């Protein structure tokens, strides 16, 4: 019997994507991320901070630069975000990531797709930098593999494609790097690992757990391949606040989706 959990008893949602949804696949061919995901354009990311920066902001960005290939950091200075968008478009950037800080701690992330949007605003929490992760590994410069897990609705599918457009679509498996965005109850958990496959010998046991022996009385062994993970960091959690049509515009921008307090009426209602 399958135990009842909040996930498998979630409220029915008509926007959940289905494998035979032709309209969804047709929309993929016409959305803003199509050129990057079809490798017609190479992802090129501009990273910057908010105007009032903190000490942990640049450190966090420095670690993000090791996660996302072809990402470049530019100091914000006093430039308005619209001017940064114009500059990034002229320099053929495909996305902008802005790290917002509050009380010396990064607390929000802004992802802007270029040249035509969309703009996603995330709350950032539970940040753990690489140096604070016990027995952490150091990532290589290989292009990572990307895992997007549990983005099931139309909105989740769109957010997943936005995240996917940040990374090259031709991972270098030799580097054994994997970047994971796991959505659970509308919280997106980010992890960055290196992995290795090892072959180990293990004793063969019967149904009662006893070690099996051959005719000579020697214990029978079998080779078993296992995967070992080493976290590289950073580690953080995102929660979507809003998704806006086009590039960043606080006054005339049209929002596709905005989280409001009255939406949180049920623990079993999820949007991604």
């Amino acid at each position: 019997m399958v135990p009842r959990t909040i996930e498998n008893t979630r409220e029915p949602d008509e926007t959940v994507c289905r494998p035979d949804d032709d309209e969804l696949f047709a929309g993929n061919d016409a959305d803003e991320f199509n050129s990057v995901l079809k490798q017609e354009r190479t992802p090129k990311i501009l990273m910057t901070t908010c105007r009032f920066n903190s000490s942990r902001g640049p450190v966090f960005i420095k670690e993000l630069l090791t996660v996302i290939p072809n990402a470049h950091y530019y100091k914000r200075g006093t430039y308005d975000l619209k001017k940064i968008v114009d500059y990034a478009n002229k320099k053929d950037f495909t996305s902008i990531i802005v790290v917002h800080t509050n009380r010396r701690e990064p607390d929000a992330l802004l992802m802007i797709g270029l040249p035509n949007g969309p703009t996603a605003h995330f709350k950032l929490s539970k940040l753990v930098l690489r140096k604070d992760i016990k027995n952490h590994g150091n990532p290589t410069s290989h292009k990572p593999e990307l895992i997007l897990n549990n983005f099931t609705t139309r909105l989740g599918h769109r957010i997943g494609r936005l995240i996917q457009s940040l990374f090259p679509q031709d991972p270098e498996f030799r580097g054994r790097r994997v970047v994971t965005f796991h959505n659970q109850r509308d919280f997106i958990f980010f992890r960055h690992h290196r992995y290795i496959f090892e072959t180990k010998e293990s004793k063969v046991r019967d149904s009662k757990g006893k070690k099996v022996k051959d005719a000579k009385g020697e214990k029978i062994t079998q080779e078993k391949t296992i995967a070992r993970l080493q976290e590289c960091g950073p580690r953080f959690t995102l929660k979507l606040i809003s998704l806006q049509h086009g590039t960043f515009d606080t006054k005339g921008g049209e929002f596709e989706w905005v989280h409001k307090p009255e939406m949180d009426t049920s623990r079993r209602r999820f949007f991604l």
Side-chain angles (χ1 to χ4, degrees), residues 154 197 271:
R154 288 289 184 98
F197 294 108
F271 301 97

Side-chain angles (χ1 to χ4, degrees), residues 169-203:
Q169 304 305 301
D170 52 344
E172 296 172 341
F173 297 100
R174 188 175 182 179
R176 305 193 311 277
R177 287 179 62 200
V178 59
V179 172
T180 305
F181 289 85
H182 173 74
N183 172 47
Q184 187 170 355
R185 304 181 190 179
D186 287 349
F187 289 94
I188 302 172
F189 299 94
F190 172 88
R191 297 293 185 270
H192 179 205
H193 292 93
R194 290 193 70 193
Y195 63 87
I196 189 170
F197 294 108
E198 290 185 348
T199 302
K200 285 190 173 183
E201 287 190 352
S202 61
K203 304 289 190 299

Side-chain angles (χ1 to χ4, degrees), residues 5 16 112 152 261 267:
T5 64
V16 170
I112 305 174
T152 55
R267 293 179 61 199

